[in-house]
Amino acid sequence: MAVGVPENEVFAAADAVLARGERPTVERVRLELGRGSPARVGALLDQWWEQLAGRLRGETRLPGLPAEVAQAFVAVWQQATLLAQAVAEQALAAQRQVLVDERAQLAVEQEQLRLEAARARQQTTEAVAARQASETRLGDLEQLLEQRLVQIDDLRQQREQQGSQLDEARQDAATLRQQLQDTQVLAEQLRLEQERYTQEVENRAFREIDRAREETKGLAAQLKETNARLQLAHQALQTSQTALTDAREQGAETRAQAAALRPQVEQWRQAAAQAEEQLQAVQQRLLVTQAELGTAREHAAAAQARAETLEQHVKPQGVTAVNERPPRARKTHSKDR
Protein backbone atom coordinates (compact mmCIF):
# COMPACT_ATOMS: atom_id res chain seq x y z
CA MET A 1 0.00 0.00 0.00
CA ALA A 2 1.05 3.60 -0.62
CA VAL A 3 2.17 5.63 2.44
CA GLY A 4 1.69 9.41 2.80
CA VAL A 5 -1.76 9.83 1.20
CA PRO A 6 -2.73 13.57 1.05
CA GLU A 7 -4.95 14.78 3.85
CA ASN A 8 -7.41 16.54 1.52
CA GLU A 9 -8.18 13.20 -0.11
CA VAL A 10 -8.73 11.65 3.32
CA PHE A 11 -11.00 14.53 4.33
CA ALA A 12 -12.98 14.30 1.08
CA ALA A 13 -13.38 10.52 1.55
CA ALA A 14 -14.60 11.06 5.15
CA ASP A 15 -17.11 13.67 3.94
CA ALA A 16 -18.33 11.24 1.28
CA VAL A 17 -18.80 8.46 3.87
CA LEU A 18 -20.65 10.89 6.19
CA ALA A 19 -22.80 12.11 3.29
CA ARG A 20 -23.95 8.51 2.74
CA GLY A 21 -25.22 8.52 6.32
CA GLU A 22 -22.43 6.25 7.62
CA ARG A 23 -19.96 6.91 10.38
CA PRO A 24 -16.51 7.58 8.96
CA THR A 25 -14.11 4.92 10.19
CA VAL A 26 -10.60 4.04 9.18
CA GLU A 27 -11.69 1.00 7.19
CA ARG A 28 -14.54 2.85 5.44
CA VAL A 29 -12.33 5.79 4.55
CA ARG A 30 -9.59 3.45 3.28
CA LEU A 31 -12.23 1.57 1.31
CA GLU A 32 -13.46 4.86 -0.12
CA LEU A 33 -9.92 5.92 -1.04
CA GLY A 34 -8.77 2.51 -2.19
CA ARG A 35 -5.40 3.10 -0.58
CA GLY A 36 -3.62 4.49 2.50
CA SER A 37 -2.17 2.89 5.62
CA PRO A 38 -4.39 2.53 8.74
CA ALA A 39 -2.04 4.71 10.84
CA ARG A 40 -1.97 7.53 8.29
CA VAL A 41 -5.71 7.43 7.66
CA GLY A 42 -6.45 7.21 11.43
CA ALA A 43 -4.32 10.28 12.20
CA LEU A 44 -5.88 12.32 9.41
CA LEU A 45 -9.35 11.11 10.45
CA ASP A 46 -8.73 12.57 13.96
CA GLN A 47 -7.96 15.92 12.37
CA TRP A 48 -11.07 15.57 10.25
CA TRP A 49 -13.23 15.08 13.39
CA GLU A 50 -11.69 18.21 15.01
CA GLN A 51 -12.35 20.23 11.87
CA LEU A 52 -15.86 18.77 11.71
CA ALA A 53 -16.58 20.09 15.23
CA GLY A 54 -15.30 23.53 14.21
CA ARG A 55 -17.37 23.45 11.08
CA LEU A 56 -20.43 22.51 13.12
CA ARG A 57 -19.78 25.37 15.59
CA GLY A 58 -19.47 27.76 12.71
CA GLU A 59 -22.90 26.79 11.50
CA THR A 60 -24.45 28.27 14.74
CA ARG A 61 -24.07 31.66 13.29
CA LEU A 62 -27.47 31.67 11.69
CA PRO A 63 -29.29 34.57 10.06
CA GLY A 64 -31.96 36.46 11.97
CA LEU A 65 -34.77 34.14 12.92
CA PRO A 66 -37.60 34.36 15.42
CA ALA A 67 -36.34 33.81 18.96
CA GLU A 68 -38.38 30.65 19.53
CA VAL A 69 -37.15 29.15 16.25
CA ALA A 70 -33.61 30.18 16.92
CA GLN A 71 -33.71 28.70 20.45
CA ALA A 72 -35.30 25.50 19.17
CA PHE A 73 -32.72 25.29 16.37
CA VAL A 74 -29.92 25.95 18.87
CA ALA A 75 -31.26 23.25 21.17
CA VAL A 76 -31.49 20.85 18.28
CA TRP A 77 -28.05 21.88 17.17
CA GLN A 78 -26.61 21.39 20.64
CA GLN A 79 -28.26 18.01 20.90
CA ALA A 80 -26.91 17.08 17.51
CA THR A 81 -23.48 18.35 18.54
CA LEU A 82 -23.60 16.27 21.71
CA LEU A 83 -24.63 13.22 19.69
CA ALA A 84 -21.93 13.99 17.16
CA GLN A 85 -19.36 14.34 19.94
CA ALA A 86 -20.46 11.05 21.45
CA VAL A 87 -20.23 9.43 18.06
CA ALA A 88 -16.88 11.12 17.53
CA GLU A 89 -15.64 9.94 20.91
CA GLN A 90 -16.75 6.41 20.11
CA ALA A 91 -15.01 6.66 16.77
CA LEU A 92 -11.92 8.06 18.48
CA ALA A 93 -12.00 5.24 21.00
CA ALA A 94 -12.23 2.74 18.16
CA GLN A 95 -9.42 4.56 16.38
CA ARG A 96 -7.36 4.57 19.56
CA GLN A 97 -7.95 0.85 19.96
CA VAL A 98 -6.93 0.34 16.35
CA LEU A 99 -3.82 2.43 16.99
CA VAL A 100 -3.05 0.41 20.13
CA ASP A 101 -3.45 -2.81 18.15
CA GLU A 102 -1.33 -1.45 15.36
CA ARG A 103 1.32 -0.32 17.84
CA ALA A 104 1.31 -3.80 19.42
CA GLN A 105 1.57 -5.38 15.98
CA LEU A 106 4.29 -2.90 15.10
CA ALA A 107 6.16 -3.83 18.30
CA VAL A 108 5.85 -7.51 17.36
CA GLU A 109 7.06 -6.71 13.86
CA GLN A 110 9.92 -4.67 15.31
CA GLU A 111 10.86 -7.57 17.59
CA GLN A 112 10.73 -9.90 14.61
CA LEU A 113 12.84 -7.45 12.63
CA ARG A 114 15.31 -7.25 15.54
CA LEU A 115 15.51 -11.02 15.68
CA GLU A 116 15.89 -11.19 11.93
CA ALA A 117 18.60 -8.53 12.13
CA ALA A 118 20.37 -10.57 14.81
CA ARG A 119 20.08 -13.69 12.66
CA ALA A 120 21.30 -11.67 9.69
CA ARG A 121 24.31 -10.48 11.73
CA GLN A 122 24.95 -14.07 12.82
CA GLN A 123 24.65 -15.25 9.23
CA THR A 124 26.94 -12.41 8.16
CA THR A 125 29.52 -13.50 10.75
CA GLU A 126 29.20 -17.09 9.63
CA ALA A 127 29.45 -16.00 6.00
CA VAL A 128 32.61 -14.02 6.77
CA ALA A 129 34.08 -17.02 8.57
CA ALA A 130 33.05 -19.29 5.68
CA ARG A 131 34.58 -16.83 3.22
CA GLN A 132 37.83 -16.80 5.17
CA ALA A 133 37.78 -20.59 5.29
CA SER A 134 37.01 -20.66 1.57
CA GLU A 135 39.89 -18.28 0.89
CA THR A 136 42.20 -20.47 2.98
CA ARG A 137 40.93 -23.56 1.19
CA LEU A 138 41.33 -21.77 -2.14
CA GLY A 139 44.95 -20.97 -1.27
CA ASP A 140 45.55 -24.60 -0.35
CA LEU A 141 43.91 -25.74 -3.56
CA GLU A 142 46.00 -23.31 -5.61
CA GLN A 143 49.16 -24.62 -3.93
CA LEU A 144 47.99 -28.19 -4.52
CA LEU A 145 47.22 -27.28 -8.14
CA GLU A 146 50.76 -25.96 -8.60
CA GLN A 147 52.13 -29.19 -7.13
CA ARG A 148 49.89 -31.22 -9.45
CA LEU A 149 51.07 -29.16 -12.44
CA VAL A 150 54.68 -29.85 -11.48
CA GLN A 151 53.87 -33.55 -11.13
CA ILE A 152 52.10 -33.48 -14.50
CA ASP A 153 55.21 -31.95 -16.10
CA ASP A 154 57.37 -34.64 -14.50
CA LEU A 155 54.99 -37.36 -15.67
CA ARG A 156 54.97 -35.87 -19.17
CA GLN A 157 58.78 -35.96 -19.25
CA GLN A 158 58.76 -39.52 -17.93
CA ARG A 159 56.21 -40.46 -20.57
CA GLU A 160 58.39 -38.97 -23.29
CA GLN A 161 61.41 -40.86 -21.94
CA GLN A 162 59.37 -44.06 -21.73
CA GLY A 163 58.15 -43.43 -25.29
CA SER A 164 61.76 -43.18 -26.46
CA GLN A 165 62.65 -46.33 -24.53
CA LEU A 166 59.59 -48.04 -26.01
CA ASP A 167 60.68 -47.08 -29.53
CA GLU A 168 64.16 -48.44 -28.84
CA ALA A 169 62.64 -51.59 -27.35
CA ARG A 170 60.46 -51.98 -30.43
CA GLN A 171 63.49 -51.61 -32.68
CA ASP A 172 65.38 -54.16 -30.55
CA ALA A 173 62.35 -56.46 -30.68
CA ALA A 174 62.21 -56.12 -34.46
CA THR A 175 65.93 -56.91 -34.67
CA LEU A 176 65.52 -59.88 -32.34
CA ARG A 177 62.48 -61.03 -34.30
CA GLN A 178 64.51 -60.89 -37.53
CA GLN A 179 67.35 -62.76 -35.83
CA LEU A 180 64.87 -65.30 -34.54
CA GLN A 181 63.42 -65.75 -38.01
CA ASP A 182 66.93 -66.18 -39.45
CA THR A 183 67.80 -68.62 -36.66
CA GLN A 184 64.59 -70.53 -37.24
CA VAL A 185 65.30 -70.72 -40.95
CA LEU A 186 68.82 -71.94 -40.20
CA ALA A 187 67.51 -74.39 -37.60
CA GLU A 188 64.91 -75.62 -40.08
CA GLN A 189 67.62 -76.10 -42.73
CA LEU A 190 69.81 -77.93 -40.21
CA ARG A 191 66.88 -80.05 -39.14
CA LEU A 192 66.00 -80.91 -42.73
CA GLU A 193 69.62 -81.72 -43.51
CA GLN A 194 69.83 -83.82 -40.35
CA GLU A 195 66.61 -85.58 -41.28
CA ARG A 196 67.95 -86.25 -44.78
CA TYR A 197 71.23 -87.49 -43.35
CA THR A 198 69.43 -89.62 -40.77
CA GLN A 199 67.08 -90.94 -43.43
CA GLU A 200 70.00 -91.77 -45.73
CA VAL A 201 71.87 -93.51 -42.88
CA GLU A 202 68.76 -95.42 -41.89
CA ASN A 203 68.04 -96.38 -45.48
CA ARG A 204 71.63 -97.50 -46.00
CA ALA A 205 71.58 -99.40 -42.73
CA PHE A 206 68.28 -101.03 -43.62
CA ARG A 207 69.63 -101.91 -47.04
CA GLU A 208 72.69 -103.46 -45.40
CA ILE A 209 70.44 -105.29 -42.96
CA ASP A 210 68.21 -106.51 -45.79
CA ARG A 211 71.23 -107.63 -47.80
CA ALA A 212 72.69 -109.32 -44.71
CA ARG A 213 69.37 -110.99 -44.08
CA GLU A 214 69.20 -112.14 -47.68
CA GLU A 215 72.75 -113.46 -47.45
CA THR A 216 71.91 -115.07 -44.11
CA LYS A 217 68.83 -116.67 -45.64
CA GLY A 218 70.92 -117.91 -48.57
CA LEU A 219 73.63 -119.25 -46.26
CA ALA A 220 70.99 -120.76 -43.99
CA ALA A 221 69.40 -122.46 -47.00
CA GLN A 222 72.82 -123.62 -48.14
CA LEU A 223 73.64 -124.81 -44.61
CA LYS A 224 70.29 -126.53 -44.45
CA GLU A 225 70.96 -128.21 -47.76
CA THR A 226 74.46 -129.18 -46.60
CA ASN A 227 73.04 -130.51 -43.34
CA ALA A 228 70.47 -132.49 -45.32
CA ARG A 229 73.17 -133.86 -47.58
CA LEU A 230 75.32 -134.60 -44.53
CA GLN A 231 72.39 -136.31 -42.88
CA LEU A 232 71.84 -138.31 -46.03
CA ALA A 233 75.53 -139.15 -46.02
CA HIS A 234 75.30 -140.19 -42.38
CA GLN A 235 72.26 -142.26 -43.18
CA ALA A 236 74.09 -143.77 -46.15
CA LEU A 237 77.09 -144.37 -43.92
CA GLN A 238 74.92 -146.00 -41.30
CA THR A 239 73.26 -148.06 -43.98
CA SER A 240 76.69 -148.98 -45.29
CA GLN A 241 77.89 -149.86 -41.84
CA THR A 242 74.78 -151.97 -41.23
CA ALA A 243 75.27 -153.58 -44.56
CA LEU A 244 78.94 -154.04 -43.69
CA THR A 245 77.97 -155.70 -40.42
CA ASP A 246 75.34 -157.83 -42.03
CA ALA A 247 77.50 -158.69 -44.98
CA ARG A 248 80.95 -159.21 -43.79
CA GLU A 249 81.38 -161.35 -46.69
CA GLN A 250 81.23 -158.24 -48.83
CA GLY A 251 83.89 -156.56 -46.67
CA ALA A 252 86.30 -155.77 -49.43
CA GLU A 253 83.66 -154.18 -51.60
CA THR A 254 82.02 -152.37 -48.66
CA ARG A 255 85.36 -151.05 -47.39
CA ALA A 256 86.10 -149.83 -50.86
CA GLN A 257 82.75 -148.00 -50.93
CA ALA A 258 83.32 -146.60 -47.43
CA ALA A 259 86.78 -145.45 -48.43
CA ALA A 260 85.24 -143.75 -51.44
CA LEU A 261 82.56 -142.07 -49.31
CA ARG A 262 84.88 -140.80 -46.60
CA PRO A 263 86.45 -138.03 -48.73
CA GLN A 264 82.98 -136.88 -49.82
CA VAL A 265 81.76 -136.88 -46.22
CA GLU A 266 84.85 -134.91 -45.19
CA GLN A 267 84.19 -132.48 -47.99
CA TRP A 268 80.60 -132.09 -46.81
CA ARG A 269 81.82 -131.49 -43.29
CA GLN A 270 84.25 -128.84 -44.50
CA ALA A 271 81.44 -127.19 -46.52
CA ALA A 272 79.23 -127.17 -43.41
CA ALA A 273 82.07 -125.60 -41.36
CA GLN A 274 82.58 -122.92 -44.04
CA ALA A 275 78.83 -122.25 -44.11
CA GLU A 276 78.87 -121.89 -40.32
CA GLU A 277 81.81 -119.48 -40.54
CA GLN A 278 80.06 -117.43 -43.24
CA LEU A 279 76.92 -117.36 -41.10
CA GLN A 280 78.94 -116.08 -38.14
CA ALA A 281 80.57 -113.44 -40.38
CA VAL A 282 77.18 -112.31 -41.62
CA GLN A 283 75.88 -112.09 -38.06
CA GLN A 284 78.97 -110.09 -37.11
CA ARG A 285 78.33 -107.75 -40.03
CA LEU A 286 74.69 -107.49 -38.93
CA LEU A 287 75.82 -106.51 -35.42
CA VAL A 288 78.22 -103.90 -36.86
CA THR A 289 75.47 -102.52 -39.07
CA GLN A 290 73.07 -102.30 -36.09
CA ALA A 291 75.78 -100.52 -34.09
CA GLU A 292 76.26 -98.05 -36.96
CA LEU A 293 72.47 -97.54 -37.09
CA GLY A 294 72.38 -96.85 -33.33
CA THR A 295 75.26 -94.38 -33.72
CA ALA A 296 73.45 -92.65 -36.60
CA ARG A 297 70.30 -92.42 -34.51
CA GLU A 298 72.28 -90.96 -31.63
CA HIS A 299 73.78 -88.36 -34.00
CA ALA A 300 70.31 -87.53 -35.31
CA ALA A 301 68.93 -87.21 -31.74
CA ALA A 302 71.90 -85.00 -30.79
CA ALA A 303 71.32 -82.77 -33.85
CA GLN A 304 67.61 -82.55 -33.03
CA ALA A 305 68.47 -81.66 -29.40
CA ARG A 306 70.90 -78.97 -30.62
CA ALA A 307 68.17 -77.48 -32.85
CA GLU A 308 65.63 -77.49 -29.99
CA THR A 309 68.23 -75.98 -27.62
CA LEU A 310 68.91 -73.25 -30.17
CA GLU A 311 65.18 -72.50 -30.45
CA GLN A 312 64.75 -72.43 -26.66
CA HIS A 313 67.80 -70.15 -26.38
CA VAL A 314 66.26 -67.68 -28.85
CA LYS A 315 62.68 -67.72 -27.40
CA PRO A 316 63.45 -66.25 -23.90
CA GLN A 317 64.70 -63.04 -25.55
CA GLY A 318 61.06 -61.81 -25.56
CA VAL A 319 60.05 -62.63 -29.12
CA THR A 320 57.47 -65.23 -30.08
CA ALA A 321 58.00 -67.19 -33.27
CA VAL A 322 55.45 -66.42 -35.94
CA ASN A 323 55.41 -69.72 -37.79
CA GLU A 324 56.90 -72.25 -35.41
CA ARG A 325 56.75 -75.70 -36.95
CA PRO A 326 56.26 -78.70 -34.65
CA PRO A 327 59.06 -81.29 -34.68
CA ARG A 328 58.44 -84.03 -37.20
CA ALA A 329 57.99 -87.51 -35.88
CA ARG A 330 60.93 -89.74 -36.59
CA LYS A 331 60.19 -92.41 -39.15
CA THR A 332 60.29 -95.91 -37.78
CA HIS A 333 60.80 -99.02 -39.81
CA SER A 334 58.90 -102.13 -38.97
CA LYS A 335 61.10 -104.54 -40.84
CA ASP A 336 61.88 -107.78 -39.12
CA ARG A 337 65.39 -108.07 -37.82
Side-chain angles (χ1 to χ4, degrees):
M1 295 182 181
V3 180
V5 63
E7 61 181 6
N8 56 352
E9 295 183 3
V10 176
F11 293 162
D15 291 339
V17 172
L18 184 61
R20 290 199 304 268
E22 298 176 353
R23 184 175 64 85
T25 60
V26 176
E27 296 298 329
R28 289 175 180 173
V29 172
R30 290 179 68 242
L31 184 61
E32 182 68 24
L33 286 173
R35 60 193 178 94
S37 64
R40 175 69 176 172
V41 173
L44 293 177
L45 194 58
D46 292 339
Q47 295 179 9
W48 178 82
W49 284 110
E50 293 176 357
Q51 292 178 6
L52 178 62
R55 284 190 296 171
L56 291 175
R57 284 193 299 271
E59 293 297 333
T60 57
R61 294 190 298 273
L62 299 174
L65 294 173
E68 294 81 0
V69 175
Q71 290 177 359
F73 187 78
V74 169
V76 172
W77 180 257
Q78 290 177 353
Q79 186 68 27
T81 301
L82 292 174
L83 292 174
Q85 288 178 355
V87 172
E89 288 178 358
Q90 292 178 358
L92 288 174
Q95 293 296 325
R96 290 191 186 95
Q97 186 63 36
V98 171
L99 290 175
V100 170
D101 295 338
E102 290 181 353
R103 287 192 185 96
Q105 185 177 1
L106 182 61
V108 173
E109 293 177 355
Q110 288 177 352
E111 182 65 20
Q112 292 179 353
L113 290 175
R114 187 181 65 78
L115 293 176
E116 291 179 358
R119 287 195 297 270
R121 285 194 295 272
Q122 182 66 26
Q123 293 176 357
T124 302
T125 303
E126 293 176 356
V128 170
R131 186 187 65 184
Q132 292 177 355
S134 299
E135 291 177 353
T136 303
R137 180 61 177 168
L138 180 61
D140 296 338
L141 291 175
E142 289 178 351
Q143 185 177 1
L144 182 61
L145 178 61
E146 292 177 357
Q147 294 177 358
R148 291 292 185 272
L149 291 175
V150 173
Q151 292 178 358
I152 289 172
D153 293 334
D154 295 337
L155 291 174
R156 186 180 294 110
Q157 293 177 0
Q158 293 178 4
R159 186 186 64 182
E160 292 176 356
Q161 293 176 359
Q162 291 178 357
S164 301
Q165 294 176 358
L166 180 61
D167 293 336
E168 294 176 358
R170 286 176 178 172
Q171 293 177 0
D172 295 339
T175 303
L176 291 175
R177 189 179 293 108
Q178 185 63 34
Q179 292 178 359
L180 176 61
Q181 291 178 356
D182 297 339
T183 305
Q184 287 177 346
V185 172
L186 180 59
E188 183 67 18
Q189 293 177 356
L190 291 174
R191 187 178 63 82
L192 293 176
E193 291 178 357
Q194 186 63 36
E195 286 182 356
R196 286 195 297 270
Y197 174 75
T198 304
Q199 188 67 32
E200 290 176 358
V201 171
E202 289 180 353
N203 293 333
R204 186 169 62 251
F206 285 129
R207 286 195 299 271
E208 292 293 335
I209 291 171
D210 292 338
R211 186 169 61 254
R213 284 179 179 175
E214 293 295 332
E215 292 178 356
T216 303
K217 288 180 181 180
L219 292 175
Q222 186 176 0
L223 180 61
K224 184 177 180 180
E225 183 180 358
T226 303
N227 289 330
R229 291 171 63 186
L230 181 61
Q231 187 176 3
L232 291 175
H234 281 297
Q235 290 177 359
L237 180 60
Q238 289 176 0
T239 303
S240 297
Q241 289 177 356
T242 303
L244 181 61
T245 303
D246 295 338
R248 288 182 178 272
E249 65 277 3
Q250 297 178 0
E253 186 179 358
T254 303
R255 283 193 294 272
Q257 292 178 357
L261 288 174
R262 282 193 185 96
Q264 187 176 1
V265 171
E266 187 66 24
Q267 185 179 0
W268 289 344
R269 287 179 179 177
Q270 291 178 359
Q274 292 177 359
E276 186 69 22
E277 291 177 358
Q278 291 178 0
L279 179 60
Q280 291 179 358
V282 170
Q283 289 178 351
Q284 186 66 30
R285 288 175 59 190
L286 179 61
L287 292 176
V288 172
T289 304
Q290 289 178 351
E292 291 179 356
L293 179 60
T295 304
R297 287 180 177 176
E298 290 178 358
H299 287 310
Q304 183 69 24
R306 285 197 300 273
E308 293 178 356
T309 303
L310 183 59
E311 290 180 356
Q312 291 177 359
H313 179 69
V314 175
K315 283 182 179 178
Q317 297 180 358
V319 182
T320 303
V322 178
N323 294 320
E324 183 176 359
R325 296 179 58 186
R328 294 174 56 186
R330 186 180 302 167
K331 294 183 180 180
T332 57
H333 295 272
S334 61
K335 294 183 178 180
D336 295 333
R337 298 187 181 183

